[in-house]
Structure formats: structure tokens, C-alpha cells
């Protein structure tokens, strides 16, 4: 053997050993696993975000134990409590006053005491009522104080309390007993004995203040699918106001356009052949109208998002940081997702950005549908934000966060993985230019955003709540609606109220309105509200656009009703100028297709009077923390909170808060978005998100001296003298091979033509 042959064999042996070592070292790793990229910035939070952190299971349990031992009353677990019992309805974080929080966050004061807000139903009292207590300090409570009168001006009447799961169970038991009184009718109309029918609640519960009577719509129960599309034509009105369940009564029955006083009365009419019956077949498993089961075998997977070097954001507790952004996040069990202390490049932009309410107003020629005005906060927008499906609801690579709550139980519950955080590639340039004159170059920046997402399922509808943070310094808020439409039984002139979507199914028209609170702290100050209009000047031989700038002085000026003209440019501005002499500001840009709100002549309109306005700007007050209340749903005729009262023409200028220690006032923007939905055949099996998304932007407007995304490390630039296929000119052309999808994408230079 000569020396050359020996060297070749030695090289082959070394290569084989190296390959085996690589296999052994990588064995057991998840396919496509990518190394984590070190964060480019340190997180200076030092636990400050915990001021806004949702209560932990341990804290929730501690509050329950404290109340059980210090109120001097017998408290029954709400999961089994009757209306005549006392119980703890819910416990949540009591957000500290803004002045206290800012003093702490800005280093000028002590940490505010951590407190809880507990809602109790007192049914076992001479004057049954709902009472709210602040309990603290956590983690070891030592005091509680009744804040009901301070918050609402008086005790909350007992009939306004939300309906509990136990109450629904007792109502369903009553309906089942009543259905047994009409066996021949049920067999003829629905192929049913009543036990295979399910109910859907409506709201509000009655027609005047003090009522607690609910129309329930009956459907065929369909396992594994949406029963909402299978109405049988039967609706019942249950009066459940009495504190004794044994005294609840079925007051009215509706079937196919006729009203009856009871199920027995309906049965009599059927036996006497005085009733027109529409025979509805029981849904068969192979032909269920709302089935979402796949009809074909899975195909090859679609494109997936991946992170070449791991996530570029950091999540620590309830705080996320990403390329200059820092956001504190949380979830209110009633009103849903909320963010606090949103900062960009170290400057606070928004103190609070929170969902307030989701409203659905229905139309129908059936009593259940025509009377339905769902205020979803009373059901629990945050409480019903369930676990997210990895790879569908959010990317596989997203960070998933658990949410804890205590509602209708003495034991805390957890919705695992119910909030997700991820960086999203929008497959769209944030900005770009291809120069083909004077000099030849390409410059651009990919549009990637940080997304915080939760999805709430409110009975039939699913709402996707997105909060997005852009490299340009803009905040985007967006909501998409999906899930099942709510339906009525098709009879008479039903198509005046929607579209036929099944043999006996009317997809009923409805309005969606979502309401948000935006407490902007532009440039760390309250600032003022300025608008710009762009009329045409006709004073010369050529028409010219020109700007008219105006500062709004009072709340009434800053309340823009739906379908009324609204300035295209509306900004919160600071007294401080940018480099070019313009006041630093953030612009509010609304994207909405909302239908007409409920007329102000309606006796229940004041309960949802926030729905009058696309945008309303008011002075911020601690006694006006929310635009609505969970108690508005069951007594909209005498609302516990009426947003219209917030707008009383107070001045919104003339004072500027120089800092958290100085007197003055803040301004708060209240934003409504929504759309009209007239269901159609393509809403079967259920509604798609396409075209059903609305929201708003908070965009920097002269806040910076230039687009802050110029500092993004993701920027790309190369000239005609450079090779765009090498890393030095274009980092996108040389992703790490181990983390790049297997399919060859082609050389970057082959695609550009530069």
C-alpha cells in the first residue's frame, strides 16, 4: 500500500467517525429544532409588570379562605348554590389606581398593595343583593372593604346578577319536565321525546327592570357538531326570578308562529288538529348540517412559519419584550384580554389597552331571536378563552401561556395554553424600493410583527382577539369572528330577517360591536386631541388640497357618532415638538363596517350607549374604569353603568399632566368597531374569518423624527455592484441550513433581476 492510498483511507475513516458522532449528538432532537438566538436587549423590568399580573391560583384560593373566615356569613360554593344562598361569584385582580401605579413604575413611589376584587351574591339576606369587596393585601389578606356604593352609587339589585351554571341546570330540568307534557306533539314535530333536545339561552331576561324571565330556543342535540343550526321550531319562556327554584314557571310557549300558555296547551291544540306541524327529521350523523368533520383525506401540509434561530422575543411572567417594545399582558375573566404599560424604545405609549365588551344584536320573527342582545362580558369573554390548538390557532413555534380564574366556584380553574405570543411574518414588505433610475439598488424591510392572541368562545361564536406591534412604532388591534351563526326556525316571512341556510333553518341577521378602552400616554403626558381636515381650495385657477388643523376643546366635540362624518386624521398630541417642530403624537385609525346602533329611543339603549360612538374621548377618571358592567345584561332598562354619562362636555384641554406627581387629567379614547352580518349559505358549516375582521391602529404621527424601523436589524440593502446571493449583502440569502425548509428555494439573485 502506497502513502497516497493510506492517506485516502485515513481520510475516509475520519469522515465516517465524524458522521457517526454527528448522528449520535443529534439523536433525539425534535425535527427542525433551531438554536435559540441570544436576545439583543436586556429586560430591565425588575418585576414592575407584576403590578398588573393576574391573580395566581394560590392568591385566588387565599382570598376565598379569607372571605369564608371573615364575613361572618355562611357561604355556599357557587357551583352548587341556589339563588337563596350566599356565595362567592368571582375573584379577580383589583388594578391599582393609575397615579399609584405610575409613581411606582416611574421610580417615584412604593409598590402599590396587591389587592383582589371579590363579587358576592347575597341571596340569604332580607334584602338580597350583589356586593363587591376589595380584599388585600396579597398574598396574606388582612382587610376587606365594601366598594359597591362607591363604584355604582348604591347596592346592586339581586336580579341583575349573571346567570350561573347551577341556575341553567335547574332551568333545563324544569324545561325537561314541561316537555314531558307534550309527548305526541314532540314525536310528530321532531321525532323526539324531549330528552334529545337542547336549549340555547337568550338575553336580556324580560322586558322591564326587575324581570328575570328568559326565552330558550330548542334544537336537536347533535353530538360532535354545532346544534345551533338545527332548530325544531319550539321556544319557551321561563320565569326564574323567585329565589325558590320550586316556584319557577314556564310562562309561554312559541311554535311555528303561534303562542301557547303551556306545553299542555300546545299538546291539546295538536291533538285537536288545531296546530300546523312542520315535521323535522332528527339529524343523521352522516348528514349533519353543521358538521366540521373533514370530507377528504389530509393532503400534504401547507407552508409553515419557522424561527431560524429561535424566538426573537422574550416572555418573562406577564411581560413580553421585542425589538424595542415592552408590553404587560393579562386577562380579565369577564371583559377579556387587556394590556398595560405599553412602551416603545423605553417611552410609555399606552397605559391601558383593554377590551371592554362584545355585543351581538339579533333580528328574527321568533321571540328568542328578536329579543336577543348578548353582552358577552356578562357571560365571560376571558373566562371562556380556552386552550389554543398549536399550529392552527397559533403557530407551532408560539409561546403559550396559561390563564387562571375563579368564577362560580370556590376552586381556581386554569385554561391551559389559552394565550399565545409569536412573531408573525406577514409576507409583505413593511417598506421597500427598487431603484431603476440614476442609481440601481434595492432596499427594504420585511413586515414582521409581534402578536399577542387569545380566542374566546361565547356559546356559538368564536372571537379571535389580536394585539399586534410593528417595527414602525404602530400598535394594531384586530378582532375576527368565526364559529357558528345563531339561527331561528324558518317560518312565515322569516327571510325578511336573514337567509335560509337549511331545510328549516333561518340564519338570522345580527350586528357585532366590540368596544375598547385606549388610555394613551403620548410622550408621557396627557396632551390634547387634534384633528385635520383636507378641503379643496377653490380660490385660484387650480383646485388645491389644503390642511385645516383644529384642537378639540370639549368632550361633546370629541364624541363621534356612528354614520356621522369623522375626521380622517385624529391624533393625541403632546405639547413637545419633534425635530421638525410638529407636536409629537399618535394617530387613531379605525377600520370598521358596523351597522346602525340600537336607536336611542329603545328603553335598553343606555346600557349599550357606548355603541352610539365610533370614537369618544373623555377625561380619565378612576370612577369610570369601564364603559359597561356585567350587571347591564340582565337589567339593561336600568343600567348599572351607562357610558353616555361619561360624556358631559367637560374640557379636554387647558391642563397637561407634567408627571405622575402633578395635578391634571388624562384623556381616554373609547373605540367601537363592528360589522353587520346577514348570514348566507357559505356560513355553513360555520363562519369564516375572511371579511369578518375589524379593528384599529395607533400609529405614530410626528412622534419620531423618522420611521423608527430604520434601526431594525432586519433591513436589507444592496446595490447593483453587490452579489445579493451572499450573506454580507443579504442575510436572507443564507439562512442556517439546519433550520431552513428542505425544499430548495433557489438563489436569491435568480429572483430579483438586479
Amino acid at each position: 500500500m502506497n502513502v497516497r492510498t493510506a492517506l485516502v483511507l485515513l481520510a475516509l475513516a475520519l469522515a465516517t467517525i465524524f458522521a457517526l458522532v454527528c448522528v449520535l449528538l443529534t439523536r433525539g432532537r425534535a425535527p427542525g429544532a433551531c438554536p435559540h438566538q441570544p436576545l439583543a436587549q436586556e429586560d430591565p423590568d425588575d418585576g414592575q409588570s407584576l403590578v398588573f399580573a393576574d391573580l395566581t391560583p394560590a392568591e385566588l384560593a387565599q382570598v376565598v379562605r379569607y372571605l369564608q373566615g371573615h364575613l361572618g356569613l355562611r357561604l355556599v360554593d357557587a357551583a352548587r348554590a341556589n339563588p337563596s344562598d350566599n356565595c362567592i361569584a368571582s375573584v379577580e385582580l383589583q388594578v391599582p389606581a393609575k397615579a399609584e401605579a405610575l409613581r411606582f413604575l416611574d421610580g417615584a413611589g412604593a409598590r402599590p398593595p396587591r389587592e383582589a376584587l371579590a363579587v358576592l351574591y347575597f341571596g340569604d339576606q332580607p334584602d338580597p343583593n350583589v356586593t363587591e369587596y376589595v380584599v388585600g393585601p396579597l398574598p396574606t389578606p388582612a382587610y376587606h372593604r365594601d366598594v359597591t356604593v362607591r363604584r355604582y352609587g348604591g347596592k346592586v339589585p339581586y336580579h341583575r346578577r349573571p346567570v350561573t351554571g347551577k341556575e341553567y341546570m335547574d332551568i333545563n330540568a324544569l324545561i325537561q319536565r314541561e316537555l314531558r307534557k307534550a309527548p305526541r306533539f314532540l314525536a310528530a314535530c321532531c321525532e323526539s321525546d324531549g330528552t334529545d333536545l337542547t336549549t340555547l339561552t337568550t338575553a336580556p331576561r324580560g322586558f322591564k327592570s326587575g324581570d328575570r324571565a328568559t326565552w330558550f330556543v330548542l334544537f336537536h342535540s347533535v353530538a360532535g357538531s354545532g346544534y345551533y343550526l338545527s332548530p325544531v321550531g319550539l321556544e319557551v319562556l321561563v320565569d326564574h326570578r323567585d329565589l325558590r327554584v320550586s316556584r319557577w314557571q314556564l310562562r309561554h310557549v312559541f311554535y311555528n308562529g303561534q303562542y301557547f300558555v303551556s306545553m299542555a296547551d300546545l299538546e291539546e291544540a295538536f291533538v285537536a288538529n288545531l296546530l300546523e306541524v312542520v315535521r323535522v327529521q332528527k339529524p343523521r350523523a352522516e348528514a349533519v348540517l353543521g358538521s366540521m368533520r373533514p370530507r377528504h383525506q389530509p393532503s400534504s401540509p401547507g407552508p409553515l412559519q419557522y424561527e431560524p434561530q429561535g424566538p426573537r422575543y422574550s416572555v418573562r411572567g406577564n411581560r413580553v419584550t421585542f425589538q424595542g417594545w415592552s408590553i404587560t399582558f393579562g386577562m380579565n375573566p369577564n371583559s377579556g384580554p387587556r394590556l398595560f404599560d405599553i412602551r416603545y424604545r423605553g417611552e410609555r405609549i399606552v397605559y391601558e389597552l383593554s377590551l371592554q365588551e362584545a355585543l351581538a344584536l339579533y333580528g328574527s320573527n321568533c321571540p328568542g331571536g328578536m329579543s336577543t342582545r348578548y353582552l358577552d362580558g356578562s357571560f365571560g369573554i376571558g373566562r371562556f378563552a380556552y386552550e389554543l390548538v398549536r399550529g392552527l390557532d397559533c403557530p407551532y413555534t408560539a409561546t403559550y401561556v396559561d390563564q387562571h380564574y375563579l368564577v362560580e366556584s370556590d376552586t381556581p380553574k386554569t385554561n391551559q395554553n389559552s394565550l399565545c405570543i409569536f412573531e408573525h411574518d406577514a409576507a409583505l414588505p413593511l417598506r421597500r424600493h427598487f431603484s431603476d433610475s440614476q442609481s440601481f439598488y434595492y432596499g427594504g424591510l420585511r413586515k414582521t410583527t409581534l402578536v399577542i392572541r387569545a380566542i374566546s368562545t361565547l356559546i356559538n361564536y368564536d372571537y379571535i382577539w389580536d394585539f399586534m406591534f410593528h417595527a414602525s412604532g404602530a400598535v394594531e388591534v384586530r378582532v375576527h369572528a368565526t364559529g357558528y351563526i345563531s339561527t331561528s326556525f324558518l317560518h312565515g316571512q322569516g327571510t325578511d330577517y336573514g337567509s335560509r341556510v337549511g331545510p328549516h333553518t333561518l340564519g338570522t341577521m345580527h350586528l357585532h360591536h366590540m368596544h375598547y378602552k385606549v388610555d394613551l400616554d403620548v410622550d408621557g403626558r396627557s396632551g390634547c386631541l387634534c384633528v385635520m381636515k383636507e378641503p379643496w381650495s377653490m380660490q385660484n385657477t387650480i383646485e388645491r388640497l389644503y390642511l385645516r388643523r383644529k384642537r378639540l376643546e370639549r368632550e361633546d366635540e370629541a364624541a363621534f357618532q356612528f354614520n356621522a362624518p369623522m375626521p380622517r386624521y385624529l391624533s393625541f398630541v403632546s405639547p413637545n415638538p419633534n425635530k421638525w417642530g410638529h407636536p409629537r403624537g399618535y394617530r387613531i385609525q379605525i377600520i370598521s363596517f358596523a351597522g346602525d346602533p340600537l336607536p336611542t329611543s329603545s328603553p335598553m339603549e343606555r346600557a349599550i350607549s357606548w355603541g352610539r360612538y365610533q370614537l369618544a374621548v373623555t377625561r380619565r377618571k378612576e370612577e369610570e374604569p369601564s364603559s359597561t358592567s356585567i350587571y347591564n345584561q340582565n337589567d339593561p332598562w336600568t343600567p348599572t353603568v351607562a357610558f353616555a354619562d361619561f360624556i358631559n362636555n367637560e374640557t379636554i384641554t387647558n391642563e397637561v399632566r407634567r408627571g405622575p406627581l402633578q395635578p391634571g387629567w388624562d384623556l381616554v379614547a373609547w373605540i367601537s368597531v363592528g360589522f353587520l352580518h346577514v348570514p348566507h349559505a357559505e356560513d355553513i358549516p360555520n363562519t369564516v374569518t375572511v371579511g369578518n375582521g375589524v379593528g384599529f391602529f395607533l400609529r405614530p404621527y410626528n412622534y419620531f423624527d423618522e420611521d423608527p424601523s430604520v434601526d431594525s436589524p432586519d433591513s436589507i440593502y444592496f446595490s447593483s455592484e453587490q452579489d445579493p446571493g451572499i450573506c454580507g449583502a443579504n442575510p436572507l440569502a443564507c439562512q442556517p441550513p439546519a433550520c431552513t425548509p428542505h425544499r430548495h428555494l433557489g438563489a436569491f439573485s435568480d429572483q430579483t433581476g438586479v
Side-chain angles (χ1 to χ4, degrees):
M1 180 184 296
N2 57 33
V3 174
R4 179 176 295 178
T5 302
L7 290 174
V8 170
L9 292 174
L10 179 61
L12 289 173
L14 290 173
T16 302
I17 293 170
F18 178 76
L20 289 172
V21 169
C22 289
V23 170
L24 291 171
L25 288 176
T26 57
R27 180 177 295 172
R29 288 185 185 175
C34 299
H36 191 286
Q37 175 178 332
L39 293 171
Q41 59 183 21
E42 292 297 322
D43 185 352
D45 179 56
D46 295 329
Q48 287 186 332
S49 62
L50 295 178
V51 170
F52 306 109
D54 296 336
L55 299 183
T56 66
E59 289 174 323
L60 292 167
Q62 190 77 299
V63 172
V64 170
R65 285 194 292 270
Y66 173 85
L67 292 171
Q68 289 172 336
H70 289 79
L71 291 184
L73 298 168
R74 178 176 178 270
L75 296 176
V76 178
D77 189 331
R80 54 183 179 82
N82 290 314
S84 56
D85 292 324
N86 302 322
C87 68
I88 301 171
S90 65
V91 177
E92 63 186 73
L93 174 71
Q94 171 67 21
V95 177
K98 182 177 181 180
E100 288 184 71
L102 287 182
R103 278 193 290 267
F104 170 66
L105 295 174
D106 296 339
R111 180 185 294 271
R114 188 157 167 82
E115 297 178 322
L117 177 68
V119 178
L120 282 86
Y121 297 165
F122 288 136
D124 188 13
Q125 288 191 357
D127 179 24
N129 65 84
V130 179
T131 300
E132 297 189 356
Y133 293 102
V134 167
V135 180
L138 299 177
T140 308
Y143 60 80
H144 65 279
R145 60 180 182 272
D146 186 339
V147 295
T148 317
V149 174
R150 178 174 62 82
R151 288 168 64 93
Y152 306 116
K155 288 291 186 182
V156 176
Y158 200 52
H159 67 270
R160 295 183 189 174
R161 71 194 187 281
V163 175
T164 66
K166 173 64 164 55
E167 192 170 354
Y168 280 125
M169 290 174 59
D170 290 335
I171 290 170
N172 283 330
L174 168 63
I175 293 174
Q176 283 296 318
R177 290 195 300 272
E178 293 295 320
L179 289 177
R180 289 199 290 267
K181 298 177 181 178
R184 285 174 286 186
F185 162 76
L186 289 176
C189 85
C190 322
E191 299 181 354
S192 171
D193 62 358
T195 59
D196 56 354
L197 299 182
T198 191
T199 61
L200 176 65
T201 186
T202 65
R205 307 182 188 282
F207 302 96
K208 65 182 186 303
S209 185
D211 284 353
R212 197 173 179 85
T214 305
W215 278 102
F216 288 87
V217 185
L218 278 81
F219 298 81
H220 271 128
S221 180
V222 183
S225 185
Y227 67 84
Y228 318 100
L229 304 180
S230 303
V232 299
L234 186 64
E235 303 184 9
V236 296
L237 178 65
V238 177
D239 187 338
H240 51 110
R241 176 172 180 176
D242 200 291
L243 299 190
R244 284 168 287 187
V245 175
S246 60
R247 294 190 176 184
W248 293 355
Q249 295 183 19
L250 191 150
R251 293 292 188 188
H252 291 289
V253 176
F254 174 86
Y255 177 76
N256 197 20
Q258 292 182 254
Y259 288 88
F260 303 88
V261 296
S262 66
M263 289 301 298
D265 185 36
L266 173 63
E267 179 82 344
E268 269 185 44
F270 172 74
V271 172
N273 204 25
L274 300 175
L275 178 65
E276 180 182 353
V277 174
V278 179
R279 300 179 184 273
V280 180
Q281 291 184 338
K282 183 181 298 187
R284 303 298 187 258
E286 65 277 5
V288 174
L289 187 61
S291 175
M292 296 178 66
R293 299 180 188 278
R295 299 184 182 182
H296 303 283
Q297 292 298 316
S299 62
S300 60
L304 297 174
Q305 181 171 310
Y306 75 107
E307 297 168 329
Q309 293 180 290
R312 304 195 300 175
Y313 57 88
S314 171
V315 180
R316 181 185 294 181
N318 64 322
R319 187 168 181 266
V320 57
T321 55
F322 171 73
Q323 294 189 352
W325 286 105
S326 67
I327 307 107
T328 299
F329 58 86
M331 181 77 76
N332 181 284
N334 299 314
S335 58
R338 58 187 181 185
L339 309 178
F340 291 96
D341 198 24
I342 300 172
R343 305 188 196 194
Y344 187 58
R345 294 183 165 187
E347 295 187 14
R348 184 177 298 109
I349 305 296
V350 180
Y351 176 75
E352 178 185 354
L353 171 54
S354 57
L355 178 65
Q356 298 289 293
E357 186 62 276
L359 166 70
L361 300 172
Y362 282 83
S364 174
N365 61 342
C366 295
M370 72 174 67
S371 62
T372 293
R373 285 94 173 91
Y374 287 135
L375 293 168
D376 288 329
S378 72
F379 291 90
I381 298 171
R383 169 190 177 189
F384 294 120
Y386 293 118
E387 183 169 3
L388 299 163
V389 175
R390 188 180 297 269
L392 196 155
D393 292 329
C394 304
Y396 271 97
T397 56
T399 298
Y400 292 81
V401 181
D402 296 345
Q403 299 296 322
H404 312 287
Y405 67 93
L406 191 145
V407 178
E408 295 183 26
S409 173
D410 286 350
T411 305
K413 293 183 172 59
T414 298
N415 286 342
Q416 294 183 332
N417 302 328
S418 55
L419 186 144
C420 70
I421 301 166
F422 57 94
E423 185 181 356
H424 172 61
D425 180 0
L428 178 75
L430 179 65
R431 49 179 174 78
R432 59 92 73 187
H433 181 65
F434 189 110
S435 174
D436 62 352
S437 65
Q438 188 179 13
S439 60
F440 300 93
Y441 64 88
Y442 176 88
L445 176 64
R446 294 162 61 207
K447 183 181 177 183
T448 64
T449 60
L450 179 76
V451 181
I452 300 176
R453 172 178 293 171
I455 305 179
S456 301
T457 300
L458 282 310
I459 309 179
N460 55 305
Y461 258 107
D462 297 63
Y463 295 99
I464 302 172
W465 313 106
D466 281 345
F467 299 86
M468 308 173 71
F469 301 87
H470 297 268
S472 63
V475 180
E476 180 181 355
V477 178
R478 187 172 60 187
V479 54
H480 286 90
T482 178
Y484 285 97
I485 58 173
S486 185
T487 66
S488 291
F489 189 75
L490 180 63
H491 77 94
Q493 302 301 311
T495 52
D496 288 348
Y497 305 92
S499 302
R500 181 180 181 181
V501 295
H504 306 286
T505 304
L506 174 71
T508 50
M509 64 186 298
H510 52 281
L511 299 173
H512 290 282
H513 284 255
M514 281 65 70
H515 200 229
Y516 292 86
K517 177 182 181 180
V518 186
D519 185 352
L520 276 157
D521 274 7
V522 175
D523 199 16
R525 302 165 184 240
S526 302
C528 65
L529 186 66
C530 292
V531 299
M532 291 193 297
K533 296 184 179 180
E534 63 293 343
W536 285 97
S537 170
M538 308 296 289
Q539 296 177 355
N540 302 291
T541 56
I542 185 170
E543 299 83 8
R544 294 183 297 176
L545 282 169
Y546 71 102
L547 281 177
R548 294 181 60 187
R549 296 180 173 90
K550 180 182 179 181
R551 177 177 295 185
L552 302 186
E553 302 285 340
R554 294 190 171 273
E555 288 178 341
D556 286 10
E557 289 183 88
F560 300 96
Q561 297 200 8
F562 272 105
N563 300 324
M566 181 173 168
R568 293 180 181 89
Y569 277 76
L570 188 149
S571 304
F572 276 63
V573 300
S574 156
N576 292 334
N578 69 357
K579 180 179 179 180
W580 313 114
H582 294 289
R584 302 182 74 196
Y586 257 76
R587 176 189 173 195
I588 296 175
Q589 185 175 347
I590 300 173
I591 301 173
S592 176
F593 317 101
D596 292 337
L598 195 66
T600 55
S601 57
S602 168
M604 64 178 67
E605 190 273 343
R606 272 178 54 79
I608 52 175
S609 51
W610 52 263
R612 301 175 192 175
Y613 308 100
Q614 303 172 69
L615 170 69
V617 176
T618 66
R619 284 167 54 170
R620 186 190 186 279
K621 299 175 182 177
E622 285 295 336
E623 60 268 28
E624 295 175 349
S626 176
S627 59
T628 186
S629 165
I630 59 173
Y631 312 119
N632 281 11
Q633 174 71 92
N634 292 338
D635 190 357
W637 308 278
T638 310
T640 303
V641 173
F643 177 76
D645 295 340
F646 291 14
I647 304 170
N648 52 10
N649 211 29
E650 291 181 295
T651 180
I652 53 175
T653 58
N654 301 328
E655 283 193 48
V656 176
R657 179 172 52 84
R658 298 292 176 182
L661 298 177
Q662 299 300 319
W665 54 71
D666 280 330
L667 302 182
V668 176
W670 308 87
I671 300 174
S672 294
V673 297
F675 56 92
L676 168 67
H677 187 184
V678 180
H680 45 92
E682 291 80 9
D683 282 312
I684 306 301
N686 65 354
T687 298
V688 299
T689 55
V690 177
N692 289 321
V694 292
F696 60 92
F697 289 87
L698 307 176
R699 298 177 58 187
Y701 194 78
N702 288 317
Y703 190 87
F704 302 101
D705 299 329
E706 61 182 353
D707 178 8
S709 71
V710 297
D711 291 327
S712 171
D714 297 334
S715 295
I716 297 295
Y717 179 92
F718 49 82
S719 67
S720 57
E721 288 78 25
Q722 295 174 290
D723 180 359
I726 63 174
C727 297
N730 175 25
L732 291 177
C734 56
Q735 296 292 346
C739 298
T740 302
H742 295 300
R743 186 170 64 86
H744 180 59
L745 301 179
F748 188 88
S749 57
D750 295 342
Q751 312 295 326
T752 64
V754 175

